[in-house]
């Protein structure tokens, strides 16, 4: 079996990956808070851990990998969005949950094994909080329940910050009911117009951090293999998840490996609404093909920052065009097995950038080869290697044409009319139709086997 190695944020070193149970490899990644479309930085995290999911399935078998990615559907941001839009909360969460599923599907992301919603796990959260209170790791105050950070000696080891840095980084709320400024909320009171549930501490709702702990442990177990997320979640979110989970379940480690992707820069600046360089995945996919976006999101080593701009996205589309042109040389070749060098790159801490160099070389080999048997073999390897990255999942025709059946028929009818005009030597009509299609972004290629078309 292929050996995998991943960088563990908790130990600050790359480690050989050994799952607790190779027949049930477990992965959890933090999903979105569903109050708006996800931004392109969120899309990078989703794509990185979808690729990890694909790799684990390839190595351990599809049925032997359990991937949970949550949806936060109770949160102050959602309450505020509902108030601003004068809409019921359930309409906000349902709309943006579906948008998230649709947009990530547009990136060829696989559906996780489990996609739990926080509101379906309130009983588990209440039980976990009650256990923490009973053990002296949490306390009730003024309708809130707070985790006492001084009760957990290892608090801060994931982020490796000093206590002062932790408090400053958390931007903690100074509240009279806190015993310590760093203590964080597990449960908060709700008013009648806010979502809430009955609990031993009154009518209220959970804090953000307890949601992920309760969902992850309920689905994957009190100890599981990998927890993923963006490196902006290391503190306070993941630090707090570790503290409350390890205290609630003595003797269990919660996540054994912590993997974090780097942030995304737009035009060499941090993405920010105030800078006017903020893009949602939804608006990007409205104008650009999903596989080109996915290519760019995986083009850098996942732990490093990623530069994202529209010029680079255009280049990514051109690269995918070349790859699909290579597949076009033997379109019926079935995907076989990923290239060994691709497997080596991905097995070494998910090095997608290194895997890309192998794929580019395969395309070069295909373009230099005339032997049909060799072509079929190379294309089969290219397909399998790219599929492992969530790429080349379309046919060349679908990639280059990319229109619905009705539009495709209209284009084919115009091409037939043009061919008839050419046969009759009516070149004025032939040129008019070509220009008409070109204005629609349709490029014609006249070959010995007939006329084909593709979108520009």
């Amino acid at each position: 079996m292929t050996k995998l190695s991943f960088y563990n944020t908790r130990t600050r070193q790359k480690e050989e990956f050994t799952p607790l149970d190779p027949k049930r490899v477990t992965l959890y990644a933090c999903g979105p808070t569903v109050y708006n479309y996800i931004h392109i930085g969120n899309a990078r995290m989703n794509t990185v851990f979808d690729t990890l999911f694909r790799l684990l399935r390839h190595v351990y078998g599809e049925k032997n990998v359990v991937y949970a990615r949550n949806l936060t559907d109770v949160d102050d941001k959602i309450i505020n969005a509902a108030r601003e839009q004068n809409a019921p909360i359930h309409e906000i969460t349902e709309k943006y949950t579906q948008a998230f599923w649709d947009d990530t599907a547009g990136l060829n992301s696989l559906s996780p094994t489990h996609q739990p919603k926080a509101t379906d796990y309130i009983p588990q959260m209440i039980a976990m909080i009650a256990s923490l209170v009973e053990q002296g790791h949490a306390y009730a105050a003024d309708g809130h329940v707070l985790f006492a950070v001084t009760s957990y000696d290892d608090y801060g080891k994931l982020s490796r910050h000093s206590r002062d840095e932790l408090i400053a980084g958390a931007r903690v709320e100074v509240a009279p009911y806190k015993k310590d400024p760093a203590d964080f909320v597990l449960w908060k009171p709700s008013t009648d117009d806010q979502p809430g549930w009955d609990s031993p501490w009154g009518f209220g709702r959970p804090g953000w951090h307890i949601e992920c702990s309760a969902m992850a442990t309920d689905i994957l177990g009190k100890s599981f293999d990998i927890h993923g997320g963006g490196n902006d979640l290391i503190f306070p979110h993941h630090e707090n998840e570790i503290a409350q989970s390890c205290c609630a379940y003595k003797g269990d480690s919660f996540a054994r490996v912590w993997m974090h992707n780097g942030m995304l820069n737009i035009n060499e600046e941090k993405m920010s609404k105030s800078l006017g360089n903020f893009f949602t995945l939804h608006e990007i996919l409205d104008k650009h093909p999903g596989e080109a976006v996915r290519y760019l999101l995986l083009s850098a080593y996942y732990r490093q920052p990623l530069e994202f701009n529209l010029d680079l996205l255009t280049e990514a589309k051109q690269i995918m065009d070349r790859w699909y042109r290579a597949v076009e040389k033997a379109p019926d070749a079935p995907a076989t097995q990923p290239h060994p060098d691709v497997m080596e790159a991905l097995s070494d801490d998910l090095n997608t950038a290194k895997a890309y160099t192998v794929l580019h070389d395969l395309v070069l080999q295909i373009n230099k080869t005339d032997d049909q048997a060799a072509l079929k073999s190379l294309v089969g390897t290219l397909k399998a290697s790219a599929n492992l990255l969530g790429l080349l999942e379309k046919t060349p025709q679908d990639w280059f044409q990319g229109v619905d059946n009705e539009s495709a028929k209209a284009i084919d009818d115009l091409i037939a009319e043009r061919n008839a005009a050419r046969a009759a030597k009516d070149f004025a009509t032939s040129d008019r139709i070509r220009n008409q299609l070109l204005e629609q972004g349709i490029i014609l290629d006249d070959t010995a086997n007939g006329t084909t078309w593709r979108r520009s």
Side-chain angles (χ1 to χ4, degrees):
M1 182 177 289
T2 304
K3 291 185 177 180
L4 305 178
S5 295
F6 301 123
Y7 183 86
N8 189 347
T9 306
R10 198 166 190 174
T11 62
R12 296 298 195 277
Q13 61 185 9
K14 191 158 55 177
E15 303 168 348
E16 184 174 326
F17 176 65
T18 305
L20 288 165
D21 179 358
K23 295 193 177 299
R24 190 176 185 270
V25 183
T26 45
L27 166 65
Y28 184 90
C30 292
T33 300
V34 284
Y35 72 101
N36 205 337
Y37 298 111
I38 65 168
H39 58 68
I40 196 67
N42 301 140
R44 185 191 192 192
M45 190 197 82
N46 175 82
T47 304
V48 164
F49 291 103
D50 175 73
T51 306
L52 176 61
F53 182 37
R54 289 169 178 268
L55 176 63
L56 294 173
R57 281 161 47 108
H58 181 79
V59 173
Y60 293 98
E62 291 184 8
K63 295 181 180 180
N64 297 329
V65 181
V66 182
Y67 175 25
R69 183 189 63 204
N70 76 293
L71 292 157
T72 296
D73 61 345
V74 53
D75 186 86
D76 289 352
K77 292 178 180 178
I78 298 171
I79 295 172
N80 293 336
R83 185 181 300 117
E84 291 168 3
Q85 297 177 39
N86 194 27
I89 284 176
H90 73 88
E91 286 187 9
I92 299 293
T93 58
E94 289 171 7
K95 173 184 177 178
Y96 290 112
T97 293
Q98 190 61 54
F100 172 68
W101 288 340
D102 292 343
D103 290 344
T104 52
L107 293 177
N108 290 348
S109 291
L110 302 174
S111 294
T113 320
H114 300 277
Q115 300 190 77
K117 297 180 180 179
T119 52
D120 291 334
Y121 285 78
I122 300 297
Q124 291 89 332
M125 296 175 203
I126 291 174
M128 190 172 182
I129 295 169
S131 173
L132 289 166
V133 171
E134 182 180 351
Q135 296 181 66
H137 293 292
Y139 57 94
D142 197 18
H144 296 73
V145 181
L146 297 107
F147 183 87
V149 297
T150 55
S151 72
Y152 182 55
D153 291 340
D154 287 340
Y155 191 77
K157 284 195 173 181
L158 180 70
S159 54
R160 297 196 179 185
H161 290 316
S162 69
R163 176 174 171 75
D164 289 342
E165 289 173 329
L166 291 173
I167 294 173
R171 298 176 182 173
V172 295
E173 177 188 359
V174 177
Y177 49 77
K178 286 188 175 185
K179 293 181 179 179
D180 186 283
D183 293 349
F184 58 88
V185 172
L186 301 173
W187 190 262
K188 64 177 72 174
S190 292
T191 58
D192 291 340
D193 62 342
Q194 294 176 326
W197 294 262
D198 291 327
S199 80
W201 316 284
F203 184 73
R205 60 193 189 275
W208 175 36
H209 313 302
I210 197 70
E211 294 179 3
C212 280
S213 285
M215 286 184 279
T217 54
D218 188 79
I219 295 169
L220 302 180
K222 295 170 185 176
S223 292
F224 58 93
D225 293 315
I226 302 173
H227 194 312
N231 63 17
D232 59 327
L233 297 179
I234 294 174
F235 186 84
H237 187 47
H238 291 166
E239 193 79 73
N240 292 352
E241 277 190 71
I242 291 172
Q244 63 201 9
S245 301
C246 290
C247 288
Y249 306 118
K250 301 292 185 184
D252 292 294
S253 63
F254 194 49
R256 298 166 63 243
V257 177
W258 288 83
M259 296 177 66
H260 294 93
N261 63 276
M263 293 296 96
L264 186 143
N265 295 324
I266 307 289
N267 295 321
E268 299 183 354
E269 292 183 301
K270 183 177 180 180
M271 185 169 60
S272 167
K273 288 182 180 179
S274 63
L275 294 175
N277 64 353
F278 185 91
F279 295 106
T280 67
L281 175 61
H282 192 76
E283 64 184 318
I284 289 288
L285 290 177
D286 190 47
K287 298 178 181 178
H288 304 275
E291 283 197 13
V293 180
R294 185 181 182 101
Y295 177 94
L296 182 52
L297 291 174
L298 294 175
S299 61
Y301 182 36
Y302 80 95
R303 291 200 294 119
Q304 300 300 319
L306 172 69
E307 176 66 17
F308 189 99
N309 60 55
L310 297 183
D311 288 339
L312 290 173
L313 194 49
T314 298
E315 291 179 17
K317 168 63 166 58
Q318 293 169 346
I319 290 169
M320 292 307 304
D321 284 347
R322 288 200 293 273
W323 288 13
Y324 272 106
R325 283 294 184 207
V327 172
E328 214 169 25
K329 293 178 180 292
D332 297 329
T336 51
Q337 288 294 319
H339 194 285
D341 290 346
V342 169
M343 284 302 303
E344 181 181 351
L346 296 180
S347 300
D348 184 12
D349 200 26
L350 207 66
N351 195 333
T352 54
K354 188 175 180 181
Y356 276 3
T357 64
V358 183
L359 293 170
H360 288 306
D361 186 61
L362 280 170
V363 170
L364 288 174
Q365 292 181 54
I366 290 168
N367 290 335
K368 293 178 180 178
T369 302
D370 295 323
D371 181 85
Q372 288 303 306
L375 267 177
K376 189 172 182 178
S377 176
L378 286 167
V379 169
T381 301
L382 175 64
K383 282 184 177 180
S385 302
N387 290 170
L388 194 54
L389 292 158
L391 300 170
L392 291 184
E393 295 197 348
K394 299 178 181 293
T395 66
Q397 182 177 5
D398 286 343
W399 172 258
F400 287 115
Q401 297 182 353
V403 296
D404 56 58
N405 291 335
E406 186 176 340
S407 299
K409 183 179 184 305
I411 293 168
D412 289 338
D413 288 346
L414 282 171
I415 290 174
E417 183 182 343
R418 176 176 175 268
N419 287 341
R422 292 178 70 202
K425 300 190 183 303
D426 182 359
F427 298 115
T429 298
S430 171
D431 290 345
R432 175 182 60 76
I433 293 172
R434 176 186 281 275
N435 291 335
Q436 178 183 341
L437 289 171
L438 190 59
E439 289 175 0
Q440 300 174 28
I442 305 300
I443 297 174
L444 302 184
D445 294 314
D446 295 316
T447 71
N449 296 320
T451 301
T452 62
W453 63 271
R454 56 189 169 88
R455 293 181 68 87
S456 62

